[in-house]
């Protein structure tokens, strides 16, 4: 029996067996016709998002009384562990929250439904922001619809810049300017100038994009070579050795908090919508331009912060598409979530969301950059999630001084070969 | 289907199965059946939830399986790959060091506490509960979080050590200390072995101590010559149990170090790496192979412990104990 040939965690094995035993019914009929249905909807997040989500679901149910939605949620890591097991067991939820790093993984494995079939019928996509259009498309099929977008930016504390007598970052500042600022602030204020940027995969991506390259090519290969990675890692290593950036011991200990929340650094590169979170511990923060050595291009793009996908196995694709469409388009939903899922994905929702304080700043920041955004990169290849983890792990060992720059580069490429090659 | 309808069916089958042949050993036909029927929840449970998954994981350990597609047979490749996998080797090393440190330290502490609590004094019940408490909540995520906070920079432990002029910069972020932090967490949860030690200590006949005292034996001498040999079976039991447990440490390590065994891989336990390979990288075949290697490793250590036990574990019977 096929189902038995699969490994499952004890608790899920029975459930999965039952699912296989009774799952083969359904189907048939016109799949764009939404009838009465019960949808399972899984997402990652916390209690705060759960509350908002429930409000949105209640609203959906009141407008679509024949569709019932049962939600479930986990923290991000646990979510993906559970999702993998459920999908393998043929027991995936109808609608699921999807991350950009995993979408190809799931699409390639035939786990996701092609939403193109519902477009214009149960799914409206016309109002999506320009940068987000087509973000969930892979090989001509639509596997996910973004529910929010954000971009890489520089979040900093103007107070610390002033205290050190360093000019605040302005359009066109270079990576050398960045390093000089970090150094000056650390020396004059005693607060670390910034985070060690080699620890973040997206800083590498940013630099590559500024040079007109990609992190992953269209064919799913690495978009850089060993020499380029070595250069990047050396930059970070030099910063760490000079002790002008946050020591790694500190960064590891305060996890999952960020150094900016605790006022341990003057600024750091990161996703712009995180500013709202940091601002709770550090209200004076501002958003500034990212450093670039190539004038005229910042390398930034609008990244889908999270997407909604429908399972290939869902028995109610039409109803599921309706739910997805509602979550993305309904102005009320935009009002409910605000920027909880990243800034809202459609013009209507963005207009309806009453963004205040730091979130208004984020929205203004994105608005200003609107015309400069580059093309959103293709969905990362299968294994990208694993590789990002490897990158974090290896750069961490580098910063601890447990491995050399050359060893770090070698390790990453070995890992990439194993992960992307298979 | 209700149980009542199953029973007669089964009975008929059994009768048919017997077929012709000698019937000397027959008992009443319903006898065994009723027994098995009562056992059936357990039998179904062990087949579906234990034996089934075990057999499946053994099969999967010889395959390349990503959870989504059908497993493909690759023979011993998973097993061979482990020995060239730097992270696997590190996880073995981390786990071995942990077992070698945590088990003895915890057992010594448990025995010491048990001996303290063995004497009669006021508030004894309270102290026993207080020492046992941590092991009740021990596996929980919350405790591990608190533990990590306690050992972070500028926290309780760091402040205390600084008073003695020792600056570690916080154990949680220092790869040289992070493992020790988990060893201490394990030690703090000494309740279970302590209770077993306590029971063992109660069994040691008072007369032996009295006789020894008359002969002029001091405290240390009494401990080495009476207490230790008399409780050696209990000690062995605890040693075995704790060793097996220590090999499988997971929750606390996962909370403190995450799937990468932070900081810098210093808490990359075997189970953490196994979990990460399976559910992080979707390499279930490899993870299954790792699980079987762990079973083999724990098995070997257990056999080794049993071998050495012959030399130092004394069972009652020759000691004049009544039972």
């Amino acid at each position: 029996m096929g189902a038995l040939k699969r490994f499952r965690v004890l608790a899920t094995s029975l459930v999965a067996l039952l699912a296989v035993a009774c799952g083969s019914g359904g189907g048939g009929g016109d799949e764009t016709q939404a009838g009465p249905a019960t949808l399972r909807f899984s997402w990652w997040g916390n209690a705060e998002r759960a509350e908002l989500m429930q409000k949105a679901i209640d609203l959906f149910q009141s407008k679509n009384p024949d569709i019932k939605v049962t939600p479930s949620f986990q923290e991000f890591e646990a979510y993906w562990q559970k999702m993998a097991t459920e999908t393998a067991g043929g027991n995936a939820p109808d609608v699921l929250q999807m991350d950009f790093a995993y979408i190809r993984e799931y699409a390639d494995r035939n786990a996701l439904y092609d939403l193109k079939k519902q477009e214009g019928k149960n799914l409206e996509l016309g109002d999506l922001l320009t940068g987000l259009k087509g973000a969930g498309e892979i090989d001509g099929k639509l596997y996910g619809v973004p529910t929010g977008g954000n971009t890489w930016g520089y979040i900093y504390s103007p107070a610390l810049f002033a205290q050190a007598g360093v000019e605040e970052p302005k359009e066109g500042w270079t990576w050398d300017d960045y390093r000089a600022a970090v150094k000056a602030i650390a020396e004059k204020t005693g607060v670390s100038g910034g985070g060690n940027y080699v620890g973040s995969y997206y800083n590498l991506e940013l630099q590559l994009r500024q040079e007109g390259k990609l992190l992953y090519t269209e064919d799913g290969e690495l978009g850089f070579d060993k020499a380029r990675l070595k250069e990047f890692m050396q930059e970070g290593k030099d910063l760490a050795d000079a002790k002008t950036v946050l020591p790694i011991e500190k960064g590891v200990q305060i996890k999952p908090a960020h150094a900016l929340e605790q006022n341990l650094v003057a600024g750091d590169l990161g996703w712009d919508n995180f500013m709202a979170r940091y601002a709770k511990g550090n209200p004076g923060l501002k958003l500034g331009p990212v450093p670039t050595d190539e004038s005229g291009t910042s390398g930034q793009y609008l990244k889908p912060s999270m997407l909604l996908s429908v399972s290939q196995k869902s028995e109610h694709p039409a109803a599921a598409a309706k739910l997805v469409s509602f979550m993305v388009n309904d102005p009320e939903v935009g009002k409910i979530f605000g920027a909880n899922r990243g800034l809202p994905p459609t013009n209507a929702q963005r207009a309806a969301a009453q963004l205040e304080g730091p979130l208004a700043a984020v929205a203004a920041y994105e608005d200003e950059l609107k015309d400069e955004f580059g093309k959103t990169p293709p969905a990362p290849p299968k294994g990208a999630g694993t590789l990002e983890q490897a990158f974090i792990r290896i750069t961490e060992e580098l910063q601890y001084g447990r491995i050399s720059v050359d060893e770090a580069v070698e390790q990453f490429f070995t890992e990439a070969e194993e992960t992307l090659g298979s | 289907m209700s149980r009542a309808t199953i029973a007669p069916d089964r009975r008929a089958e059994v009768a048919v199965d017997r077929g012709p042949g000698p019937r000397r050993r027959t008992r009443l036909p319903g006898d065994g059946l009723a027994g098995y029927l009562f056992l059936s929840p357990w039998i179904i449970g062990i087949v579906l939830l234990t034996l089934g998954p075990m057999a499946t994981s053994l099969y999967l350990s010889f395959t390349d399986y990503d959870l989504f597609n059908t497993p493909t047979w690759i023979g011993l490749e998973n097993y061979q790959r482990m020995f060239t996998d730097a992270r696997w080797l590190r996880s073995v090393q981390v786990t071995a060091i942990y077992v070698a440190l945590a088990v003895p330290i915890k057992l010594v502490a448990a025995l010491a506490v048990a001996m303290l609590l063995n004497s009669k004094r006021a508030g004894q019940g309270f102290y026993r509960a207080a020492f046992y408490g941590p092991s009740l909540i021990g596996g929980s995520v919350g405790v591990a979080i608190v533990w990590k906070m306690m050992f972070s920079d500028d926290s309780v432990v760091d402040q205390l050590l600084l008073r003695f002029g020792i600056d570690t910069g916080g154990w949680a972020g220092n790869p040289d200390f992070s493992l020790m932090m988990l060893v201490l967490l394990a030690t703090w949860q000494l309740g279970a072995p302590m209770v077993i030690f306590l029971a063992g200590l109660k069994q040691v006949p008072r007369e032996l101590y009295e006789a020894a005292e008359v002969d002029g034996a001091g405290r240390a001498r009494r401990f080495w010559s009476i207490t230790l040999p008399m409780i050696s079976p209990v000690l062995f039991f605890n040693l075995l149990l704790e060793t097996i447990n220590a090999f499988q440490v997971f929750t606390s390590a996962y909370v403190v170090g995450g799937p990468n065994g932070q900081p810098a891989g210093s808490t990359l336990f075997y189970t953490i790496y196994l979990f990460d390979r399976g559910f992080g990288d979707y390499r279930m075949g490899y993870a299954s192979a790792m699980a079987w290697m762990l079973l083999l490793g724990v098995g070997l250590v257990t056999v080794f412990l049993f071998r050495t036990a012959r030399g130092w574990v004394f069972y009652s019977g020759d000691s004049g104990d009544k039972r």
Side-chain angles (χ1 to χ4, degrees):
Chain A
M1 185 171 164
L4 268 183
K5 284 189 181 163
R6 294 180 188 162
F7 169 83
R8 271 170 213 112
V9 188
L10 296 187
T12 50
S13 67
L14 244 187
V15 178
L17 277 174
L18 287 176
V20 170
C22 7
S24 53
D30 182 0
E31 65 179 65
T32 58
Q33 208 66 43
T38 301
L39 298 176
R40 285 202 301 132
F41 178 19
S42 293
W43 44 274
W44 72 82
N46 54 9
E48 189 191 341
R49 185 176 294 162
E51 215 172 282
L52 304 176
M53 199 63 101
Q54 193 55 51
K55 268 191 206 164
I57 289 171
D58 289 343
L59 193 66
F60 175 75
Q61 290 186 140
S62 71
K63 290 187 179 176
N64 299 274
D66 55 344
I67 301 176
K68 195 177 160 345
V69 180
T70 44
S72 75
F73 74 98
Q74 280 88 30
E75 297 275 341
F76 186 80
E77 262 169 32
Y79 175 84
W80 289 108
Q81 286 145 15
K82 189 171 175 222
M83 193 51 68
T85 332
E86 283 190 341
T87 309
N91 194 30
D94 298 274
V95 180
L96 58 142
Q97 198 167 302
M98 179 54 67
D99 188 77
F100 203 49
Y102 284 98
I103 190 164
R104 193 182 288 271
E105 191 126 33
Y106 277 74
D108 276 5
R109 287 162 171 171
N110 253 329
L112 302 181
Y113 179 80
D114 177 13
L115 283 164
K116 276 261 157 74
K117 296 182 208 163
Q118 302 288 348
E119 204 178 332
K121 290 156 190 146
N122 295 303
L123 181 63
E124 288 306 327
L125 298 171
D127 195 32
L128 277 180
L129 297 181
T130 328
L132 294 177
K133 263 183 195 146
E137 243 179 66
I138 294 170
D139 305 330
K141 291 181 172 157
L142 184 64
Y143 292 115
V145 179
T147 60
N150 44 35
T151 188
W152 205 242
Y154 181 67
I155 305 172
Y156 68 101
S157 155
L160 279 167
F161 270 79
Q163 198 187 326
V166 177
E167 202 188 336
E168 285 186 35
K170 58 171 192 274
E171 194 95 11
W173 68 320
T174 65
W175 287 98
D176 279 337
D177 295 339
Y178 173 80
R179 286 185 284 265
V182 165
K183 188 160 179 273
I185 292 169
E187 279 165 6
K188 287 182 189 146
T189 65
V191 177
S192 296
N196 192 337
Y197 62 74
V198 297
S200 168
Y201 210 22
Y202 295 101
N203 282 325
L204 176 61
E205 178 176 46
L206 184 74
Q207 290 194 352
L208 288 170
R209 286 177 62 97
Q210 290 172 352
E211 295 156 20
K213 289 181 271 184
L214 287 169
L215 194 55
Y216 296 106
T217 63
E218 298 273 352
D219 312 326
E221 316 247 334
L222 289 181
F224 54 94
D225 57 11
K226 285 185 184 173
R228 183 64 188 89
L229 183 61
K230 190 178 170 184
E231 191 190 318
F232 180 74
M233 291 205 168
Q234 192 63 53
E235 283 168 18
K237 184 83 175 92
D238 293 344
L239 280 179
D241 288 349
K243 301 202 189 312
T244 55
V245 292
L246 187 75
I248 182 77
E249 300 85 26
K250 242 344 199 226
V252 166
Q253 278 177 45
I254 60 170
K255 268 185 183 176
H258 189 277
L260 272 170
E261 279 171 274
Q262 306 190 354
N263 242 320
L264 293 172
V265 293
D268 204 4
L269 293 145
W271 296 113
D272 60 355
N273 64 329
F274 274 68
M275 182 159 115
R277 201 182 100 191
Y278 303 155
K280 278 183 192 157
N282 196 348
L285 293 177
K286 265 168 94 171
L287 262 168
V290 296
T292 176
D293 289 343
E294 323 284 325
S295 63
T297 173
S298 66
Q300 284 160 291
Y301 63 94
L302 203 57
K303 176 191 178 263
S305 56
M306 48 185 90
L307 305 104
L308 287 178
S309 296
V310 173
S311 287
Q312 176 66 41
K313 290 237 169 87
S314 170
E315 287 173 32
H316 312 287
K322 261 193 172 174
L323 178 62
V324 172
S325 194
F326 179 81
M327 287 290 176
V328 175
N329 289 307
D330 196 283
E332 278 298 308
V333 173
K335 207 164 152 186
I336 290 171
F337 278 104
N340 183 283
R341 307 179 296 180
L343 291 183
T346 51
N347 294 310
Q349 285 198 348
R350 236 176 231 216
Q354 289 150 347
L355 301 174
E356 283 166 11
L359 287 174
V362 176
Y365 179 71
E366 284 188 16
D367 218 44
E368 206 174 301
L369 284 168
K370 204 165 56 184
D371 302 321
E372 290 170 37
F373 280 141
K375 198 173 160 244
T376 303
K382 191 159 103 180
T386 301
L387 213 50
E388 190 185 331
Q389 287 297 317
F391 188 86
I392 293 170
R393 194 178 69 235
I394 291 165
T395 52
E396 193 182 297
E397 298 212 14
L398 174 73
Q399 292 175 60
Y400 268 113
R402 296 219 151 184
I403 51 174
S404 68
V405 169
D406 284 318
E407 282 167 330
V409 172
E410 282 307 319
Q411 275 188 23
F412 181 79
F413 271 81
T414 310
E415 197 101 15
E417 217 165 280
E418 193 197 317
T419 312
L420 298 176
S422 61
Chain B
M1 237 194 280
S2 75
R3 220 173 256 183
T5 58
I6 299 177
D9 283 358
R10 282 268 186 90
R11 195 170 294 178
E13 263 172 49
V14 172
V16 171
D17 276 356
R18 293 244 162 117
R23 291 192 174 205
R24 288 233 181 92
R25 290 188 298 135
T26 44
R27 297 189 200 139
L28 286 176
D31 249 19
L33 187 66
Y36 283 116
L37 210 61
F38 279 117
L39 274 175
S40 63
W42 184 83
I43 292 173
I44 292 171
I46 200 165
V47 170
L48 279 181
L49 300 177
T50 306
L51 294 179
M54 275 179 79
T56 312
S57 96
L58 183 61
Y59 162 74
L60 285 176
S61 73
F62 300 110
T63 67
D64 184 12
Y65 179 44
D66 67 358
L67 269 174
F68 295 88
N69 299 310
T70 336
T72 47
W73 186 268
I74 54 167
L76 285 171
E77 208 178 292
N78 283 331
Y79 291 91
Q80 287 160 353
R81 211 195 267 175
M82 274 180 226
F83 294 96
T84 55
D85 177 352
R87 293 182 76 205
W88 184 81
L89 293 169
R90 158 124 19 120
S91 75
V92 169
Q93 189 194 353
V94 167
T95 310
I97 294 174
Y98 175 79
V99 171
L101 285 175
V103 174
I105 293 179
K106 184 174 180 180
L107 287 181
V108 168
L111 181 56
V113 172
M115 289 179 68
L116 281 175
L117 297 182
N118 192 28
S119 48
K120 288 200 177 76
R121 63 188 63 185
Q124 196 192 39
F126 168 77
Y127 288 118
R128 283 184 187 173
F131 276 102
Y132 189 69
S135 68
L136 285 178
I137 50 169
S140 83
V141 173
V143 171
I145 293 175
V146 171
W147 205 259
K148 185 179 175 185
M149 284 164 76
M150 272 172 48
F151 283 89
S152 285
D153 211 359
D154 298 331
S155 277
V156 193
V157 176
D158 199 36
Q159 297 275 350
L160 204 71
L161 287 176
L162 275 177
R163 294 212 172 166
F164 297 99
I166 307 166
D167 185 7
T168 59
W171 293 25
N174 189 333
D176 298 330
F177 288 90
S178 48
L179 194 62
M180 204 54 211
M181 180 176 111
L182 288 166
V183 168
L184 288 180
L185 177 56
T187 309
W188 179 64
Q189 295 163 353
L190 50 72
M194 179 203 78
V195 166
I196 296 170
F197 274 134
L198 206 51
L201 289 172
K202 296 262 176 233
Q203 297 297 316
V204 182
R206 300 251 116 230
E207 309 94 76
L208 289 180
Y209 290 114
E210 282 155 17
E213 222 165 328
V214 171
D215 289 347
R219 266 171 177 273
R221 186 60 204 256
R222 272 177 278 158
F223 175 75
W224 287 109
S225 303
I226 301 175
T227 312
L228 265 193
M230 289 302 286
I231 63 160
S232 60
V234 174
L235 185 60
F236 179 59
F237 176 78
N238 271 337
L239 176 67
L240 215 56
L241 220 61
E242 290 303 324
T243 306
I244 293 171
N245 279 341
F247 268 108
Q248 299 176 44
V249 61
F250 181 80
T251 312
S252 53
Y254 191 80
V255 171
V256 169
N260 283 333
Q262 282 173 326
S266 61
T267 61
L268 186 71
F269 286 94
Y270 196 91
T271 49
I272 300 273
Y273 185 44
L274 191 160
F275 184 78
D276 189 42
R277 277 266 120 167
F279 292 97
D281 301 346
Y282 303 149
R283 288 176 189 271
M284 271 302 162
Y286 194 86
S288 300
M290 278 187 69
W292 284 91
M293 282 299 275
L294 178 63
L295 187 75
L296 192 72
V298 174
L300 284 177
V301 170
T302 312
V303 167
F304 172 76
L305 287 179
F306 266 102
R307 283 274 157 81
T308 65
R310 288 177 195 160
W312 61 271
V313 177
F314 309 103
Y315 289 96
S316 54
D318 33 38
S319 69
D321 194 358
K322 271 159 254 162
R323 213 241 99 96

